[in-house]
Structure formats: C-alpha cells, structure tokens
Amino acid sequence: MNPFHRIFGGLLLVLIDIHLGQIEILADFIGYFLILSALNGMDGKLKGMKGARTTALIISVLAIPQAFLGQPAGTAEGVTMGFDLPTIYHQSLGVLKLILTFYLFQVFIDWARKKTEEDLQERARKLFRFYLTAHILYYVLLPFSMNFPENTVIPLFIVGIAVMIILEIVFLVLIRSFHNEQQKMELY
C-alpha cells in the first residue's frame, strides 16, 4: 500500500471524532499508528523523517488514553480556559500533532524535491507556511481568550475551529496529490 495513502487514512482517522459516550469509536491512536507504519515504509533519508517517526511513536502511545477519556467538558459559566489535567492532556496532544505535522511537511517537501516535482513541492511549502502560522497563532491566542468577553470569544472560537478544519482538509487533499504522484511513478 502506498505510504501516502496510509498517512492520508491515519490523519483522516485523527480528524474524525465519533464518540459513544466517553469512548471514541475511531480512536486517534490507531490513526497515529497507521501514520507511523507508513513512515517506517518510506525512505529513512528524507529530511524530517527521524523526527516524524519519533513524534508519531510518542503521540501513538500517548493518545491511547484519549480513546477512553472523551473530550474535556465545558462549564456552565461559559467559555473558560481550564487548567485541569484532561484539558492540559488534550492541549498537549494538539501540540504534539502540530509537531508531527511539521515533520510530515518536511518529509513531503523533501520527497517532492528528490522526485523533481516542483509544483507539488511549492504547493506543500505554501500550505506549510499557512498551516503552521495559523496553528501557532491559535495556540498563542488561546490563553488570552479568557480575558475577552464571552460574546467576542465564542465567534472567534467558531472562526478558529472552522479555519483549522479547512486547513486539515486542504492538507488531506495535498497528501492525496502526493499519493497520486507516487502511483504515477510506480506505473512507469
């Protein structure tokens, strides 16, 4: 199976959250293990590969409890930034996913460079800059959100989440392009 196809499937599993009570049906750790298996099947000399494999292994193991914890609960008082253990755990997994994505972009860009796919390489670079900037901005502004009134924070959260979901979908489309390019190369 094409490694880009497994990475695509793994990230899709991570993106989709279906819960039955507290238990997550499509557990994120399965998606991360799928990504790890895909990375282990790729050229280990690609830039960022060592970091990607290490981060994928770490997040695969650390995400196992998430399948049984569910999402952090909100409060009746409105939007607040919690410092309880489940919230810190979920935010830490989000940061680890961002680190994994950083390394995945490096792997993809280097793969495209080695295969002389300039168009694919440039698309990956542009998305990388925007993806990383948007996510870092989101994580930096998150702690400051508790200082804003609730009628300002809720629309900002909705817009932020919408942007993050759109970026994840665009990233999946880019991975699909890498998958298609790999398949073309295997045919020739």
Side-chain angles (χ1 to χ4, degrees):
M1 181 187 273
N2 188 321
F4 294 111
H5 186 70
R6 284 185 292 184
I7 293 171
F8 176 88
L11 287 174
L12 190 61
L13 279 175
V14 171
L15 182 63
I16 297 173
D17 276 341
I18 299 175
H19 293 270
L20 200 93
Q22 287 290 96
I23 297 175
E24 187 174 7
I25 303 299
L26 300 172
D28 289 354
F29 73 89
I30 297 169
Y32 291 124
F33 276 124
L34 195 58
I35 293 168
L36 179 62
S37 75
L39 292 171
N40 286 332
M42 293 177 75
D43 178 14
K45 295 179 182 165
L46 292 170
K47 181 180 178 188
M49 183 60 79
K50 184 178 179 182
R53 286 178 179 165
T54 304
T55 308
L57 177 63
I58 291 169
I59 198 169
S60 296
V61 173
L62 290 179
I64 292 172
Q66 183 184 21
F68 307 103
L69 293 176
Q71 296 295 321
T75 62
E77 294 91 38
V79 177
T80 61
M81 180 72 180
F83 292 105
D84 56 316
L85 196 57
T87 302
I88 292 170
Y89 170 72
H90 284 284
Q91 291 299 323
S92 299
L93 286 178
V95 171
L96 276 173
K97 181 182 179 282
L98 182 60
I99 293 168
L100 175 62
T101 307
F102 170 81
Y103 285 122
L104 286 175
F105 269 112
Q106 285 187 342
V107 168
F108 296 159
I109 291 169
D110 196 43
W111 183 90
R113 184 186 59 78
K114 286 186 176 180
K115 303 294 183 187
T116 63
E117 292 294 330
E118 287 87 16
D119 180 48
L120 210 49
Q121 183 180 3
E122 189 57 32
R123 281 179 54 200
R125 275 197 178 119
K126 285 180 183 177
L127 181 60
F128 171 67
R129 284 186 222 116
F130 191 70
Y131 187 99
L132 207 59
T133 303
H135 278 77
I136 289 172
L137 190 63
Y138 177 78
Y139 280 112
V140 166
L141 293 178
L142 196 59
F144 297 105
S145 65
M146 69 178 95
N147 297 323
F148 294 119
E150 188 175 325
N151 61 352
T152 305
V153 171
I154 292 176
L156 287 176
F157 271 133
I158 292 171
V159 169
I161 290 170
V163 168
M164 297 304 145
I165 290 172
I166 290 169
L167 283 172
E168 294 296 332
I169 292 169
V170 172
F171 185 43
L172 288 173
V173 169
L174 177 70
I175 295 170
R176 197 72 182 156
S177 298
F178 275 89
H179 165 72
N180 293 339
E181 199 57 46
Q182 175 73 21
Q183 275 192 314
K184 283 182 199 173
M185 290 178 183
E186 288 174 358
L187 289 176
Y188 296 116

